[in-house]
Amino acid sequence: MEDEGVVLLGFWSSPYVMRVKIALEEKGIQFLYKEEENIFHSKSPLLLQANPIHNGKPICESLNILEYIDEVWKDKFTILPHHPYEKAKSRFWIHFFDKMIFDIGRRMWASEGEDQEAAKLEFLKSLKLLEEELGDKPYFGGDQFGLLDIALIPFSCRFYTYEMFCKFSVEKSCPKFMKWVNKCNERGSVSKALPNPYKVYDFVLEVKKMLGIE
């Protein structure tokens, strides 16, 4: 009965919304997804109030939402690592990546010249650090698909966009990381939640035009 009244609000290209979709799918939780149609011009009062909503109660921030989902539906697929150290390490890498990608991701498609090249190099440096953390494991938590995988994989649908604007290949630069991406995409929860990379690229082109960026 705990999965009654789960409503997820968001925009299709948001990796933070994708995180929640993946978690809910992995848990086998039924939910109602409400797409925001015009998020750049105005947000619905419901989205401004909260996202998502469970039994009328709002939960904010994707990492908090993932932990909430894991706490409420404990009898299903486990998202968070059991060991406190592994849990803390996952949170560290999520905060590291979120802080990095917010600035660098935009610079890779919105800037040009030296700044764009610097952003690309910073992005690849960050991926290589994550490659070291991944090692030869199938998932960041080992054999178990979990918190860090769910938090990072949504951003992979933007890689094609970065590659097109910055003229590089993530797979050639970070083959182990892309092997992990492909492994994650084999999961139904991930393939269902992530949009087509070409659609993301076309959307970014529209955003650049809207912002007057050549």
Side-chain angles (χ1 to χ4, degrees):
M1 297 298 290
E2 289 172 324
D3 57 344
E4 290 184 359
V6 179
V7 180
L8 177 61
L9 315 167
F11 191 64
W12 67 269
S13 69
S14 168
Y16 306 104
V17 173
M18 294 176 214
R19 286 175 174 176
V20 181
K21 283 184 176 181
I22 293 169
L24 292 171
E25 290 287 346
E26 288 287 346
K27 289 278 191 179
I29 302 165
Q30 292 186 348
F31 63 97
L32 174 63
Y33 176 66
K34 293 187 176 182
E35 176 77 8
E36 289 287 308
E37 298 295 335
N38 201 12
I39 197 167
F40 288 103
H41 296 287
S42 62
K43 297 181 180 180
S44 70
L46 194 57
L47 181 61
L48 291 172
Q49 177 186 359
N51 182 24
I53 297 170
H54 178 214
N55 290 332
K57 297 178 181 178
I59 309 104
C60 301
E61 302 298 333
S62 63
L63 183 54
N64 290 337
I65 295 166
L66 295 182
E67 294 187 7
Y68 177 86
I69 290 170
D70 207 39
E71 286 285 329
V72 173
W73 291 276
K74 291 181 179 179
D75 59 330
K76 300 181 180 180
F77 172 87
T78 303
I79 295 174
L80 271 67
H82 294 293
H83 197 283
Y85 173 73
E86 295 299 327
K87 193 180 298 184
K89 191 165 63 169
S90 292
R91 289 195 183 107
F92 166 80
W93 284 114
I94 293 169
H95 288 306
F96 163 82
F97 189 83
D98 283 356
K99 184 178 180 181
M100 177 275 295
I101 202 67
F102 181 80
D103 173 57
I104 293 176
R106 189 182 191 281
R107 285 164 56 203
M108 281 194 285
W109 61 260
S111 65
E112 56 185 19
E114 292 183 1
D115 186 52
Q116 185 182 61
E117 180 66 15
K120 180 192 77 174
L121 294 176
E122 289 178 57
F123 174 70
L124 289 175
K125 181 180 178 181
S126 298
L127 288 195
K128 288 183 183 296
L129 288 174
L130 286 165
E131 265 194 333
E132 291 178 14
E133 176 63 23
L134 178 64
D136 295 321
K137 304 186 297 291
Y139 299 114
F140 280 95
D143 293 328
Q144 174 77 28
F145 180 75
L147 179 64
L148 188 50
D149 304 292
I150 293 172
L152 296 182
I153 192 60
F155 291 90
S156 66
C157 69
R158 298 182 175 190
F159 287 0
Y160 176 76
T161 297
Y162 301 153
E163 290 174 329
M164 290 299 98
F165 284 109
C166 297
K167 310 301 181 187
F168 75 107
S169 167
V170 175
E171 189 161 19
K172 287 182 180 179
S173 301
C174 304
K176 283 187 178 181
F177 195 85
M178 283 307 299
K179 184 179 179 181
W180 165 80
V181 168
N182 294 332
K183 176 75 173 176
C184 290
N185 276 313
E186 292 175 1
R187 303 184 74 88
S189 63
V190 176
S191 62
K192 189 175 180 179
L194 269 60
N196 188 304
Y198 300 116
K199 182 181 179 182
V200 175
Y201 176 66
D202 289 341
F203 173 68
V204 171
L205 291 176
E206 291 179 13
V207 171
K208 288 189 68 171
K209 185 177 180 180
M210 181 181 69
L211 296 176
I213 301 174
E214 296 296 332

